Amino acid sequence: MAFKRQIDRLPIIPADAKVHNVVCHYCIVGCGYHAYSWDVNHQGGTAPDQNIFGVDLSRQQPAQTAAWYSPSMYNIVKQDGRDVHMVIKPDPDCVVNSGLGSIRGARMAEMSYSRARSTQLRRLTDPLVWRYGQLQPTSWDDALDLVARVTARVIADKGEDALFVSAYDHGGAGGGYEDTWGTGKLYFSAMKVKNIRIHNRPAYNSEVHGTRDMGVGELNNCYEDAELADTIMVVGANPLETQTNYFLNHWVTNLRGTSQDKKNEQIPGEAHDRARIVIVDPRRTPTVAVCEAEAGPENVLHLKINPGTDLALFNALFTEIADKGWVDHAFIEASTATKPGPQSKADVAHPAILTTFAAARDGNRTSLEEVAGITGLSPDDIRKAASWIAEPKEGGARRRTMFAYEKGLIWGNDNYRTNGALVNIALATGNVGRPGGGVVRLGGHQEGYSRPAADFIGRPAPYVDRLLIEGQGGVHHIWGCDHYKTTLNADVFKAAYKVRTDKVKDAMNRVAYGDRQTMVNAIIAAINDGGLFAVDVDIVPAKIGEACHVILPAATSGEMNLTSMNGERRMRLTERYMDPPGQAMPDCLIAARIANNLQRVFEEMGKQDLAANFNGFDWKTEEDAFMDGYHQHEKGGEYVTYARLRAMGTNGFQEPAVGIEGGPGGQASSLGETTTGGQHGMIVQGPAIEGARGKEPVQEQGPNAAAAQVPTTGTERIIGTKRLYADGKFNTPDGRAFFMHAAWRGLEAPGKQEQKDTYAFLINNGRTNHIWQSAYLDVGNEMVMDRWPYPFIEMHPDDMSKVGVKEGDLVEVYNDAGSTQAMVYPTPTARPGETFMQFANPMGVMGNVVNAGTNELIIPNYKQTWADIRKLADAPGSVQHLSFKSQQYRAS
Ligand SMILES: Nc1nc2c(c(=O)[nH]1)N[C@H]1C(S)=C(S)[C@@H](COP(=O)(O)OP(=O)(O)OC[C@H]3O[C@@H](n4cnc5c(=O)[nH]c(N)nc54)[C@H](O)[C@@H]3O)O[C@H]1N2
Ligand SMILES: Nc1nc2c(c(=O)[nH]1)N[C@H]1C(S)=C(S)[C@@H](COP(=O)(O)OP(=O)(O)OC[C@H]3O[C@@H](n4cnc5c(=O)[nH]c(N)nc54)[C@H](O)[C@@H]3O)O[C@H]1N2
Ligand code: SF4
Ligand SMILES: [Mo]
């Protein structure tokens, strides 16, 4: 059914509308947008001087015009207390998206809080506390006093290890340096909290320890590299749906052979006209279909691998490439390890050995036939992939191959070693730090990590969910994550969490709320009896919030100034374009206010030493948090200010900053591949030609020296870094990257093989284009709810007959870990026995059936889950209107 928004006319943006820079706060790609706002009492006109586009809108506009916006890009919001019209539309001059929106980002305006148009009225407007048996609105002072008194008592009685924390590592909404610094300074500097976990995994660790230990940071290339590559190898990712405009604006152009960057290349004839692509994914994703349509099936190799067997495939490719002599000897000699790493044996903290090329080649050696058996692929396809990746081109030139991976690898079997085995191939073929290369995460949210070091947490880090389930911890602070929908072993987690938090609720119900001392004593008594006091900082009522005792309303991107970087380290500032709902505050300021209150309470308790730890939280604005955090502590941060970022618009610069044009660092940049991001593909200084690569810019001055010399107008252009490791020096003590010795060892996380042997269906799981994450805003969006009232489960028609279900029927998915529900979506391209379920949906939490097994470093293996399926009900009324057509695009 076609969805209608019931809007037949939109106001025209007047010529004098206010313009704010916006970076989409959904996915990692970070598309550039502009927010236009103007007083609600007037609007522009069709004459060129009456509208912001300066064109005659009374005439039909051409196809692909930028002088256009859709109803989803429009709303009425508050700005400094006044109603304004607001349009948030993609920026055609942003090099990331070149004016493209996506089905998520192009809804930013309608996903905003509007009392005038009744959108997102679920947003939290006030702090809430558990009072008289339910959550009741209150003041910040009241809520924070309760949080501080309970937290301080627990710390005083039991130590900081009894304070448990769950916090995003990306920052509020898509990402924000301000907010990770706020929470980081609170928990890692004022306190030393080690029982802390990240939003998407149950410990405080890296998703990609493997590549980092090898000396290769995971975001090492730039989006232009996807246009310059001869071959793209993508593993466990579905970029059409999950990194949409990166894929559409930079991959598809190369797949079609229309990339301007490639045409501008400085070595004519060196690059193939159109890229080939190798896609490693057990299912035929919509990405595979688009690649075939755009590049021609002859340029697409879909390796429909047996789930969880990527490591074996990579070792086969590594062996084949080495045996064929297709490796880059000069690069290996100049830039990779000449002796094994410090670890001579794999252990829990280092699940594989770091070593030299030769040792890894020999250690990982495997036969194509053996690997064909493990992966279910044909030896010929593996050979073909090896040749597409590494066989020199006609005339002997090295092939440029870009390697990209995301959650099918990261949340796949044996994360650490699989990650390393892929990086081995990139290093062996000399494809890191060079145009058209890179071995990179595609990414999830935008990134905004800026925190004090947390080495005291140790490695492996504590498995926080498990400790909470076992009854440890007295207080739990939660920042912008909803484990009820998104964690593993979720059924068990929720059951234990409910019992523990209910204990505290019951205790609170028996005391008058206004009697603070008795209230705190009652809560502490319940905690001593195994209870847990929970505080949730969120923008909407989260599922886990139902268990919490205090809820604090956060302001999100656009309601505050927020900086973040995207998947090519492109940093921008989203300017505050509207007011937050009610009393909501930026997360960084909430963290600061918690610190202020803890300090006050510790002082009252006579614990001056503890109180003193909470100095330095006198921030008034998010900019204060930025200057205290990123500006002072991050590499190149001394060059970065709000004023400069604002002036650099939606293109920003690529981190790390290395200087200011015409200022300090500006000269050093002539050695490297740097860019101010102004024009697409333009390298401001330094050669991009292979073989003549310069050094990665060296930062020559310390923060203070630099600050003294930085020009003072405040809006000079920041010089950034286009690619990492362009100088062939990696993040290891001697600058030489390690290879990894990591042989195949089967399904590695505890309980996975048993689950596979016991249950009939693989419950592969992940994302779909329309829905952003746990649907926290989408549940309030009619368009998305109209399309996806339930999480879908893609099933082959033969499997559907076996289970006895039709399209749209609700099924139960169940195994030894738990149970959940989903709606059947017939998918003839699925392999029988292999389903794919949409994750994190409030109407059916996939994590309920993911068992507790992780790798040694506590990285979940969400993707390898097996369960049985049975029918629950015929398609309910709310799905009767749905289309069950294939979502796979075909060339017309
Ligand atoms: N089965 C399965 N499970 C998975 C995965 C999978 O592939 N399969 N993937 C994992 C991955 S990669 C991820 S990222 C996680 C996602 O897991 P979560 O991070 O838990 O989920 P989100 O929906 O991204 O966001 C959580 C909460 O943040 C709130 N929020 C949004 N913006 C702000 C803000 O500015 N400030 C504050 N304070 N709160 C805000 C939202 O309202 C929402 O309630 O799920 C993980 N779980
Ligand atoms: N539309 C949309 N976009 C998003 C998000 C969203 O919620 N919605 N979330 C963002 C976030 S936080 C993240 S982390 C990213 C995730 O981005 P992606 O990783 O691209 O997304 P997923 O759907 O989680 O998983 C990708 C693929 O892994 C495959 N896979 C499963 N098992 C295996 C395996 O054993 N081997 C291999 N090779 N592949 C396997 C699945 O079939 C799936 O197609 O998306 C980001 N972008
Ligand atoms: S591709 Fe990602 S960043 Fe770009 S508009 Fe869509 S959700 Fe936003
Ligand atoms: Mo993610």
Side-chain angles (χ1 to χ4, degrees):
M1 189 188 82
F3 176 79
K4 296 213 172 40
R5 280 191 174 79
Q6 325 294 359
I7 294 182
D8 61 355
R9 188 171 184 279
L10 291 171
I12 295 174
I13 309 175
D16 60 353
K18 250 189 247 168
V19 187
H20 290 101
N21 295 317
V22 176
V23 176
C24 172
H25 51 81
Y26 298 120
C27 85
I28 179 78
V29 178
C31 297
Y33 280 71
H34 281 131
Y36 300 91
S37 51
W38 67 99
D39 198 89
V40 79
N41 294 330
H42 92 162
Q43 52 178 289
T46 53
D49 62 346
Q50 291 173 343
N51 64 69
I52 193 95
F53 308 113
V55 299
D56 181 358
L57 290 173
S58 69
R59 305 173 68 119
Q60 175 73 43
Q61 300 298 306
Q64 307 287 338
T65 177
W68 171 88
Y69 40 100
S70 72
S72 71
M73 299 178 196
Y74 168 72
N75 214 335
I76 296 176
V77 300
K78 290 263 190 236
Q79 198 176 70
D80 302 324
R82 291 180 62 90
D83 277 338
V84 292
H85 292 290
M86 184 179 68
V87 169
I88 308 183
K89 69 189 282 299
D91 176 6
D93 297 324
C94 175
V95 295
V96 173
N97 53 315
S98 306
L100 294 179
S102 76
I103 196 163
R104 300 175 301 286
R107 281 188 285 122
M108 259 185 292
E110 79 172 10
M111 300 292 256
S112 299
Y113 179 73
S114 169
R115 298 186 66 85
R117 296 185 68 246
S118 295
T119 54
Q120 295 298 332
L121 295 181
R122 303 169 60 250
R123 286 290 304 274
L124 297 167
T125 53
D126 300 272
L128 303 172
V129 294
W130 187 262
R131 203 162 68 202
Y132 325 129
Q134 57 186 314
L135 287 164
Q136 308 268 13
T138 193
S139 65
W140 278 105
D141 283 349
D142 176 49
L144 291 176
D145 182 69
L146 182 63
V147 170
R149 283 184 191 282
V150 176
T151 305
R153 267 286 287 281
V154 165
I155 290 173
D157 293 355
K158 302 172 194 286
E160 283 173 356
D161 289 355
L163 169 58
F164 276 52
V165 176
S166 295
Y168 46 60
D169 67 358
H170 49 81
Y177 287 108
E178 293 78 358
D179 293 340
T180 53
W181 179 254
T183 47
K185 186 170 179 177
L186 177 61
Y187 298 114
F188 295 160
S189 179
M191 297 183 265
K192 296 276 176 283
V193 171
K194 78 165 200 286
N195 290 318
I196 176 168
R197 60 158 284 178
I198 293 171
H199 62 286
N200 64 4
R201 50 196 191 268
Y204 208 87
N205 50 14
S206 167
E207 286 176 24
V208 286
H209 276 305
T211 190
R212 288 189 186 175
D213 286 358
M214 294 163 84
V216 183
E218 65 272 21
L219 298 177
N220 46 63
N221 74 354
C222 56
Y223 284 180
E224 189 188 312
D225 286 325
E227 303 204 27
L228 299 179
D230 297 308
T231 301
I232 298 176
M233 179 181 185
V234 53
V235 178
N238 178 17
L240 170 70
E241 299 197 82
T242 55
Q243 294 87 16
T244 308
N245 291 331
Y246 175 29
F247 178 80
L248 293 175
N249 199 30
H250 301 275
W251 295 32
V252 167
T253 43
N254 195 5
L255 295 169
R256 282 181 179 164
T258 56
S259 165
Q260 202 48 48
D261 289 322
K262 212 169 205 174
K263 297 203 171 115
N264 292 343
E265 265 286 288
Q266 303 184 25
I267 318 167
E270 225 249 285
H272 277 285
D273 287 347
R274 87 174 15 191
R276 287 164 165 173
I277 186 162
V278 180
I279 302 169
V280 186
D281 196 306
R283 74 183 173 121
R284 183 177 163 84
T285 57
T287 298
V288 176
V290 170
C291 289
E292 285 178 1
E294 297 297 339
E298 68 283 6
N299 290 313
V300 181
L301 179 58
H302 177 200
L303 298 177
K304 217 172 181 180
I305 194 171
N306 284 338
T309 64
D310 301 69
L311 171 56
L313 169 67
F314 302 157
N315 283 347
L317 292 170
F318 187 29
T319 305
E320 171 78 3
I321 288 167
D323 287 357
K324 284 273 168 48
W326 293 336
V327 298
D328 186 335
H329 289 293
F331 176 86
I332 292 172
E333 211 163 285
S335 294
T336 69
T338 49
K339 50 186 189 308
Q343 237 73 32
S344 62
K345 273 214 301 254
D347 61 30
V348 179
H350 305 88
I353 298 165
L354 303 175
T355 187
T356 61
F357 166 71
R361 178 198 57 203
D362 297 346
N364 298 356
R365 175 166 289 287
T366 178
S367 79
L368 285 190
E369 285 64 30
E370 189 195 344
V371 167
I374 295 168
T375 58
L377 302 170
S378 75
D380 279 349
D381 274 351
I382 301 176
R383 265 186 220 109
K384 186 168 168 186
S387 125
W388 283 19
I389 290 167
E391 186 173 5
K393 295 183 283 192
E394 269 167 48
R398 196 180 59 81
R399 192 173 295 271
R400 300 166 164 203
T401 301
M402 172 182 131
F403 302 83
Y405 59 95
E406 196 47 45
K407 289 297 166 339
L409 186 157
I410 291 170
W411 303 146
N413 173 42
D414 217 351
N415 159 300
Y416 185 91
R417 294 153 65 103
T418 307
N419 188 193
L422 182 65
V423 177
N424 280 344
I425 305 173
L427 289 172
T429 57
N431 272 306
V432 194
R434 293 175 166 180
V439 55
V440 292
R441 275 192 60 189
L442 285 171
H445 305 80
Q446 271 151 92
E447 304 280 324
Y449 191 90
S450 176
R451 277 182 181 154
D455 301 335
F456 55 85
I457 291 174
R459 176 171 161 173
Y463 190 159
V464 166
D465 283 23
R466 175 165 287 163
L467 299 178
L468 282 171
I469 290 168
E470 288 170 1
Q472 295 198 41
V475 178
H476 188 199
H477 293 182
I478 306 158
W479 295 81
C481 38
D482 196 350
H483 308 331
Y484 270 36
K485 289 182 280 183
T486 59
T487 199
L488 69 172
N489 197 22
D491 248 5
V492 176
F493 179 85
K494 284 180 275 198
Y497 203 81
K498 180 166 191 311
V499 170
R500 297 192 63 195
T501 50
D502 274 352
K503 252 189 196 153
V504 172
K505 285 181 177 173
D506 293 342
M508 291 177 80
N509 290 342
R510 290 194 291 270
V511 186
Y513 185 80
D515 182 354
R516 181 66 27 117
Q517 197 49 53
T518 313
M519 176 61 74
V520 172
N521 289 341
I523 294 170
I524 297 295
I527 290 172
N528 290 337
D529 186 34
L532 184 71
F533 180 78
V535 180
D536 190 19
V537 189
D538 206 300
I539 61 170
V540 291
K543 285 280 173 193
I544 198 169
E546 289 168 14
C548 294
H549 309 94
V550 178
I551 294 188
L552 302 175
T556 195
S557 189
E559 300 160 358
M560 62 181 287
N561 296 292
L562 199 64
T563 55
S564 61
M565 71 165 197
N566 78 348
E568 54 175 349
R569 295 163 284 99
R570 189 178 295 279
M571 182 175 184
R572 275 94 29 107
L573 168 69
T574 294
E575 298 176 276
R576 184 193 203 270
Y577 51 78
M578 64 179 280
D579 301 346
Q583 305 188 55
M585 265 202 288
D587 292 78
C588 53
L589 297 185
I590 298 175
R593 298 295 88 87
I594 290 177
N596 301 152
N597 277 275
L598 281 168
Q599 183 164 56
R600 174 178 57 84
V601 171
F602 278 128
E603 273 165 6
E604 280 175 31
M605 290 165 81
K607 298 194 178 293
Q608 306 303 341
D609 49 333
L610 284 177
N613 294 337
F614 296 88
N615 288 335
F617 284 97
D618 45 5
W619 310 327
K620 301 264 178 317
T621 65
E622 55 271 28
E623 189 169 5
D624 295 340
F626 180 82
M627 295 309 280
D628 187 42
Y630 190 95
H631 183 75
Q632 282 202 44
H633 293 92
E634 293 309 315
K635 190 175 175 199
E638 68 270 25
Y639 303 116
V640 187
T641 60
Y642 272 18
R644 293 199 176 111
L645 285 172
R646 198 171 279 129
M648 293 186 77
T650 56
N651 286 324
F653 75 97
Q654 286 175 273
E655 296 181 315
V658 295
I660 298 293
E661 267 181 15
Q667 290 80 9
S669 66
S670 63
L671 296 170
E673 288 186 276
T674 59
T675 170
T676 51
Q679 274 156 286
H680 195 180
M682 196 178 109
I683 291 157
V684 172
Q685 280 136 333
I689 311 167
E690 286 172 61
R693 282 172 291 108
K695 283 198 189 114
E696 195 189 357
V698 197
Q699 198 180 299
E700 291 175 331
Q701 281 113 345
N704 297 331
Q709 297 171 41
V710 168
T712 48
T713 67
T715 55
E716 305 77 11
R717 297 187 75 74
I718 301 165
I719 302 169
T721 308
K722 188 164 177 163
R723 289 184 187 86
L724 302 185
Y725 316 125
D727 62 350
K729 298 249 182 307
F730 293 88
N731 282 347
T732 54
D734 65 359
R736 290 172 170 276
F738 285 111
F739 284 85
M740 190 185 281
H741 173 184
W744 166 249
R745 52 178 185 172
L747 287 180
E748 177 265 340
K752 294 290 178 184
Q753 185 62 47
E754 294 79 352
Q755 208 180 53
K756 179 170 194 266
D757 295 341
T758 314
Y759 300 100
F761 297 99
L762 171 79
I763 316 294
N764 185 0
N765 57 94
R767 291 151 172 90
T768 190
N769 209 346
H770 317 70
I771 304 183
W772 173 246
Q773 294 288 89
S774 64
Y776 56 87
L777 291 180
D778 289 324
V779 290
N781 186 266
E782 288 175 349
M783 194 270 293
V784 180
M785 288 301 104
D786 182 79
R787 179 68 182 107
W788 297 122
Y790 293 92
F792 59 78
I793 186 163
E794 297 179 357
M795 290 179 79
H796 188 272
D798 291 352
D799 289 341
M800 288 171 57
S801 340
K802 263 191 224 150
V803 177
V805 287
K806 312 174 297 306
E807 62 183 30
D809 286 357
L810 296 184
V811 291
E812 183 166 54
V813 179
Y814 62 102
N815 62 15
D816 52 345
S819 56
T820 187
Q821 66 168 14
M823 175 191 74
V824 174
Y825 205 101
T827 307
T829 55
R831 258 194 303 223
E834 295 189 1
T835 71
F836 181 82
M837 178 172 168
Q838 197 250 320
F839 95 118
N841 193 301
M843 297 300 283
V845 170
M846 191 277 152
N848 284 1
V849 292
V850 179
N851 79 357
T854 66
N855 86 342
E856 293 96 328
L857 292 167
I858 325 295
I859 301 295
N861 182 197
Y862 297 109
K863 302 295 190 207
Q864 270 74 56
T865 296
W866 287 266
D868 283 341
I869 297 177
R870 64 185 157 218
K871 179 169 172 173
L872 285 177
D874 287 332
S878 56
V879 314
Q880 299 288 342
H881 66 286
L882 289 195
S883 161
F884 290 94
K885 268 186 171 162
S886 165
Q887 299 208 73
Q888 305 207 339
Y889 167 90
R890 275 170 299 157
S892 48

